[in-house]
């Protein structure tokens, strides 16, 4: 059924979240064993630590959490990332819109990847703007700083920060032109990203998620199963 729906699609868009990368060993936020239920510094919630004001006021604590929970340099694409790259290669998928910051879609070969929440692979100095690689961040401990003395900030969208307007616009254009939308591995509770789904202008809405979401009732096909296994089997 899923393979038939994808086989009919001529302008497929994929919209995904952290659940796409759990089969690569990167924990999501809201699953039972996700980051929100893992013990850490119990003085702060993950939303507080991953907020702009926390980054400014407690930069060292931010980096301690970021390094141990959000950086996974050894993670590799799983069958979900690879299947989406194949669909694009076959000329049937126009864009991957992701809330993930791990860069695994590009590592799998996807070319049109709209990263709503930025990427751990891009970083820059807050003082002089110099770009800094992930490798350079990994080679340091604590708060990374630039040769000019400025603090380096990852290009990830923290709570309280706006999404990139050009990325949002491009995502809306792809969704409006799509005939098939596959939504997967996302709890659809983080806004404004989750609201993008409502710009979809086509008819086939497929939802692939380990557990039910608030949009299941709108879908033409709902699959409650691991997305890597599911997409891997559905895309030859
Ligand atoms: P979320 O944690 O809120 O939801 C993940 C959803 O995926 C859950 O509903 C879960 O049931 C489902 N899921 C988990 N593993 C799955 C699998 N193998 N197959 C199918 N479904 C699976 O994540 P979200 O909706 O993306 O929103 C939270 C935020 O988390 C995003 O803004 C994102 O930036 C950030 N985040 C990103 C990463 C990453 O880059 N890999 C990791 C953690 C969090």
């Amino acid at each position: 059924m899923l393979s038939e729906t994808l086989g009919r699609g001529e302008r497929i868009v994929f919209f995904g979240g952290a659940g796409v990368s759990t089969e690569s060993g990167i924990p999501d936020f809201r699953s039972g064993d996700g980051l929100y239920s893992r013990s850490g510094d119990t003085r702060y919630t993950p939303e507080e630590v991953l907020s702009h004001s926390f980054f400014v006021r407690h930069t060292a604590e931010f980096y301690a959490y970021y390094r141990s929970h959000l950086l996974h340099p050894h993670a590799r694409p799983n069958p979900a990332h690879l299947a989406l790259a194949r669909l694009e290669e076959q000329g049937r998928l126009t864009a991957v819109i992701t809330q993930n910051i791990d860069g695994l879609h590009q590592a799998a070969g996807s070319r049109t990847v709209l990263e709503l929440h930025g990427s751990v692979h891009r970083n820059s100095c807050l003082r002089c703007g110099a770009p800094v690689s992930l490798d350079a961040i990994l080679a340091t401990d604590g708060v990374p700083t630039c040769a000019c003395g400025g603090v380096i900030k990852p290009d990830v969208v923290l709570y309280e920060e706006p999404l990139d307007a050009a990325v949002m616009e491009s995502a809306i254009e792809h969704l409006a032109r799509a005939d098939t939308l596959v939504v997967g591995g996302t709890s659809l509770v983080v806004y404004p990203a989750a609201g993008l789904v409502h710009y979809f202008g086509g008819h086939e809405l497929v939802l692939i998620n380990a557990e039910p979401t608030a949009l299941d009732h709108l879908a033409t096909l709902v699959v409650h199963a691991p997305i890597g296994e599911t997409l891997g089997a559905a895309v030859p």
Side-chain angles (χ1 to χ4, degrees):
M1 182 68 175
L2 176 60
S3 57
E4 287 155 20
T5 303
L6 295 178
R8 282 194 301 272
E10 292 177 355
R11 291 182 312 283
I12 302 170
V13 166
F14 179 79
F15 177 88
V20 174
S21 293
T22 55
E23 287 160 83
S24 294
I26 301 180
D28 64 7
F29 277 176
R30 293 180 184 77
S31 284
D33 60 350
L35 292 182
Y36 281 10
S37 57
R38 292 186 184 201
S39 60
D41 187 337
T42 47
R43 287 176 301 167
Y44 307 111
T45 64
E47 279 101 336
E48 281 176 294
V49 179
L50 298 173
S51 68
H52 181 83
S53 48
F54 193 92
F55 177 86
V56 172
R57 287 192 207 117
H58 308 281
T59 316
E61 286 99 322
F62 169 88
Y63 265 108
Y65 186 90
Y66 178 76
R67 287 176 185 280
S68 60
H69 292 96
L70 293 175
L71 293 183
H72 300 273
H74 303 299
R76 290 290 165 261
N78 66 51
H81 301 104
L82 296 168
L84 293 166
R86 285 201 295 281
L87 277 176
E88 185 181 21
E89 183 65 33
Q90 292 162 10
R92 287 187 289 125
L93 179 141
T94 67
V96 168
I97 303 170
T98 183
Q99 300 165 84
N100 292 350
I101 57 175
D102 55 35
L104 289 183
H105 286 293
Q106 290 92 333
S110 286
R111 289 185 300 273
T112 307
V113 182
L114 301 173
E115 295 173 311
L116 297 172
H117 294 160
S119 172
V120 299
H121 292 276
R122 294 186 299 271
N123 308 271
S124 61
C125 172
L126 288 176
R127 185 183 292 173
C128 72
V132 178
S133 68
L134 174 58
D135 283 346
I137 302 283
L138 292 168
T140 61
D141 287 322
V143 178
T145 52
C146 180
C148 79
V151 169
I152 291 161
K153 182 179 178 294
D155 178 13
V156 298
V157 178
L158 300 176
Y159 290 98
E160 306 163 353
E161 292 179 343
L163 271 57
D164 184 293
V167 175
M168 283 291 271
E169 241 172 71
S170 179
I172 289 169
E173 278 173 24
H174 278 285
L175 284 162
R177 286 198 217 112
D179 59 12
T180 305
L181 173 60
V182 182
V183 177
T186 173
S187 59
L188 290 169
V189 301
V190 177
Y191 278 77
L196 277 175
V197 172
H198 297 291
Y199 288 93
F200 174 49
H203 297 294
E204 296 280 3
L205 172 59
V206 178
L207 263 159
I208 308 170
N209 208 59
E211 56 199 13
T213 75
L215 290 192
D216 282 12
H217 67 287
L218 296 178
T220 42
L221 177 62
V222 177
V223 182
H224 289 152
I227 191 163
E229 273 177 33
T230 306
L231 279 179
V235 182

